[in-house]
Amino acid sequence: MESLEYLMKGFLVAFQWHNLLFAFVGVLIGTAVGVLPGIGPMSGVALLIPITATMTGGMPPEHAATSAIILLAGIYYGAMYGGSTTSILLNTPGESSSVVTTLDGYQMARQGKAGSALAIAAIGSFVAGLIALIGLVFLSEPLSDLALRFGPAEYFSLMVLGLCAVSGLAGKSMTKALIMTVFGLLLGTIGVDNVSGVARFTFDMPVLYQGLEFLTVAVGLFALGEVFKTLLVREDGPGGIPRVGRVLPGRDDLKRSAPAILRGSLLGFFVGVLPGAGATMASFFSYILEKKWSKHPERFGKGAIEGVAGPESANNAASGGALIPLLTLGIPGSGTTAILLGAFIMYNVQPGPLLFDEHPMVAWGLIASMFVGNVMLLILNLPLVKVFAKIIVTPRRYLLPIIIAISVFGVYAVQINTFDLILLVAFGVIGMVLARHEYPLAPLVLGLVLGPMIENNMRRALTASNGDFMIFLEKPISLTFLLLALLWMILPLVLKWRRKGILSEEEA
């Protein structure tokens, strides 16, 4: 009950007119940041930190800190909302956690269901925001204690489970999915090794020392790959322009989406709590869960609304979950929360166990503002669904240059490097070739994301155990994840052999 009392005081702070204005500006900028690929919440928050200092000038220190953090947090979860728009309409992920939304969201848009997909993404994001808020209020302390039990061995095993679960994104062939996963892992090894400082697969090119930029690969594979495919297939004939269809989801869509939204929100929140896991991993896990859970897994990848509802809810809930280790332990759970940590310190507010005692106005004002910001995002986005959905009926001769321009601008803005533009085009061609031969692209992207994290955690665990691999089996949580990963790979094969045996008996 004490938490509810503090939350009420937080709402009194959040409902002050200037904080409402800061929340609105934050979510508006965040939505725009999410729509443009390449910028992402991390860059958006970093760019706005100096401006918040100017905007809050003249306020008392505690009030200035509260207003600035409210604005920056608004950009964070606003970007999670905005990332779905171009993923659904243009097959161009706005930021990394929206990659999964392209799998079914874009297919829905091509079938004339762009409005339903956008509306479900907005509703799912709102529900996820509410669940994350409830979790922040009541579960901060126990979940932060649990997160502290995760060492390098546990993280390694969790990510191995993630890679094995990628067979859920396999499409028709698990073999092709595993080939793409290994390809993604190989791409993840490019760059200077963090431990030894040795350059790997860089071919003496300094531009490759930092490795491949994740978004360059994702936008190239999905957005430019689709552009090249369209140019070759020549779909811009009569009837090539899809209908917008219903703008709001029907009763059947809502019935199918509601459980997916709830599952995605809960899963995303708990994954978000783990430092380093992040919204991208949450959205991939949610998609895999929905496909496994579904009675009709064959619909996934062809426009299943659950494939939009689950991942979109998961990535928004993960952004709320990532605030738990930041606020309660002072440990940033993702790149964006690391920048938020810097903003807290800039305003002389130290996140950690004493934050709620020493700066209750900042902590509870931020938590309450997340509810206000989510309501603002819903009010802002639902009326615009019809406007956004109209983009899909734009003739392809106008739409393709827009997709190319957004992709080039977004990728170039990340590192201001022309080499990234060459990579963008190269991965566009690779994406087109792979898609034409029915190789799934999502496992490649997940392999690229998880590869460096798996390697770093494995090496940290082995350093702690003096090279003893038994550390992965001696830790109960790590052992559980590895057993689940093993079962995930073996069970489908056993079921397949069993099915073949039954069929051969019937034929005999």
Side-chain angles (χ1 to χ4, degrees):
M1 292 307 289
E2 196 179 343
S3 296
L4 285 175
E5 192 181 321
Y6 280 120
L7 183 62
M8 289 302 113
K9 289 179 181 175
F11 275 113
L12 292 175
V13 173
F15 281 122
Q16 290 171 2
W17 72 267
H18 58 276
N19 285 335
L20 286 172
L21 182 64
F22 275 103
F24 180 73
V25 170
V27 298
L28 191 66
I29 293 170
T31 305
V33 159
V35 167
L36 291 170
I39 300 178
M42 193 156 54
S43 305
V45 171
L47 288 168
L48 265 289
I49 286 178
I51 297 167
T52 57
T54 311
M55 291 170 76
T56 57
M59 287 186 182
E62 193 87 348
H63 289 269
T66 307
S67 298
I69 299 296
I70 283 173
L71 188 146
L72 295 171
I75 295 169
Y76 182 23
Y77 53 83
M80 296 299 177
Y81 254 72
S84 62
T85 306
T86 47
S87 293
I88 291 167
L89 298 177
L90 307 176
N91 203 34
T92 308
E95 30 85 34
S96 56
S97 58
S98 295
V99 167
V100 191
T101 312
T102 61
L103 302 178
D104 282 281
Y106 183 63
Q107 294 304 320
M108 285 184 72
R110 292 183 71 180
Q111 294 161 20
K113 298 177 185 173
S116 294
L118 288 166
I120 281 295
I123 293 164
S125 298
F126 175 72
V127 173
L130 286 185
I131 288 173
L133 173 72
I134 294 163
L136 266 169
V137 173
F138 294 107
L139 301 175
S140 293
E141 205 171 318
L143 284 178
S144 58
D145 291 342
L146 177 68
L148 280 177
R149 293 186 190 177
F150 271 64
E154 286 81 1
Y155 277 117
F156 167 80
S157 302
L158 174 65
M159 285 159 196
V160 167
L161 172 60
L163 281 185
C164 292
V166 90
S167 60
L169 304 176
K172 293 175 184 173
S173 166
M174 189 190 284
T175 309
K176 285 183 176 179
L178 293 174
I179 289 169
M180 297 306 285
T181 306
V182 172
F183 185 27
L185 289 171
L186 288 171
L187 292 177
T189 60
I190 294 171
V192 173
D193 176 28
N194 288 334
V195 178
S196 64
V198 174
R200 302 182 298 189
F201 305 111
T202 56
F203 306 101
D204 293 326
M205 295 169 67
V207 76
L208 285 174
Y209 286 171
Q210 285 184 308
L212 299 182
E213 178 59 44
F214 166 80
L215 219 93
T216 305
V217 176
V219 172
L221 289 172
F222 288 95
L224 277 199
E226 187 66 29
V227 168
F228 292 152
K229 189 175 132 195
T230 305
L231 289 171
L232 284 176
V233 175
R234 298 236 174 231
E235 288 182 4
D236 200 6
I241 301 166
R243 299 176 299 106
V244 171
R246 284 180 69 102
V247 171
L248 290 174
R251 187 180 292 178
D252 184 53
D253 285 342
L254 285 170
K255 191 179 173 184
R256 281 164 47 200
S257 302
I261 287 171
L262 192 62
R263 284 191 292 266
S265 300
L266 292 170
L267 176 72
F269 178 74
F270 288 111
V271 170
V273 170
L274 301 172
T280 306
M281 198 165 162
S283 60
F284 270 101
F285 275 156
S286 173
Y287 189 86
I288 291 160
L289 174 69
E290 289 310 316
K291 191 171 179 183
K292 289 285 178 189
W293 198 282
S294 175
K295 291 177 182 175
H296 302 283
E298 70 281 353
R299 286 204 310 243
F300 282 75
K302 297 173 185 173
I305 199 159
E306 303 97 308
V308 175
E312 274 304 306
S313 305
N315 75 36
N316 278 272
S319 65
L323 289 174
I324 285 184
L326 175 69
L327 297 178
T328 57
L329 304 171
I331 299 169
S334 64
T336 313
T337 50
I339 292 166
L340 278 175
L341 174 65
F344 272 103
I345 292 165
M346 190 178 96
Y347 285 98
N348 294 317
V349 175
Q350 180 61 56
L354 300 176
L355 175 69
F356 288 84
D357 292 329
E358 292 180 354
H359 303 280
M361 181 180 171
V362 178
W364 291 105
L366 168 63
I367 291 169
S369 78
M370 287 180 66
F371 173 79
V372 176
N374 271 291
V375 172
M376 285 177 176
L377 279 167
L378 192 67
I379 294 167
L380 202 67
N381 278 274
L382 276 183
L384 291 175
V385 162
K386 198 165 188 174
V387 179
F388 287 143
K390 289 286 180 190
I391 294 171
I392 202 68
V393 300
T394 308
R396 291 193 183 276
R397 62 180 175 276
Y398 304 125
L399 195 58
L400 295 184
I402 292 170
I403 297 172
I404 293 167
I406 291 173
S407 302
V408 168
F409 171 76
V411 165
Y412 188 70
V414 177
Q415 296 190 91
I416 313 177
N417 189 339
T418 49
F419 181 75
D420 280 352
L421 299 181
I422 298 166
L423 275 181
L424 178 72
V425 175
F427 277 103
V429 174
I430 292 168
M432 177 196 67
V433 172
L434 291 172
R436 287 186 74 179
H437 291 89
E438 295 186 344
Y439 280 86
L441 301 177
L444 187 156
V445 173
L446 189 63
L448 180 62
V449 172
L450 294 184
M453 294 158 76
I454 286 174
E455 184 185 12
N456 287 339
N457 282 299
M458 185 182 82
R459 291 169 82 166
R460 282 170 59 208
L462 290 174
T463 302
S465 68
N466 291 323
D468 185 3
F469 280 89
M470 287 303 292
I471 189 171
F472 299 110
L473 303 179
E474 287 166 358
K475 304 262 185 181
I477 298 173
S478 172
L479 178 62
T480 305
F481 286 146
L482 288 175
L483 287 173
L484 285 171
L486 192 64
L487 286 171
W488 205 298
M489 296 300 291
I490 291 171
L491 276 178
L493 294 172
V494 171
L495 291 171
K496 195 175 178 182
W497 288 332
R498 194 178 167 191
R499 199 159 51 241
K500 276 185 179 177
I502 292 166
L503 286 170
S504 58
E505 279 175 22
E506 284 176 357
E507 283 170 9

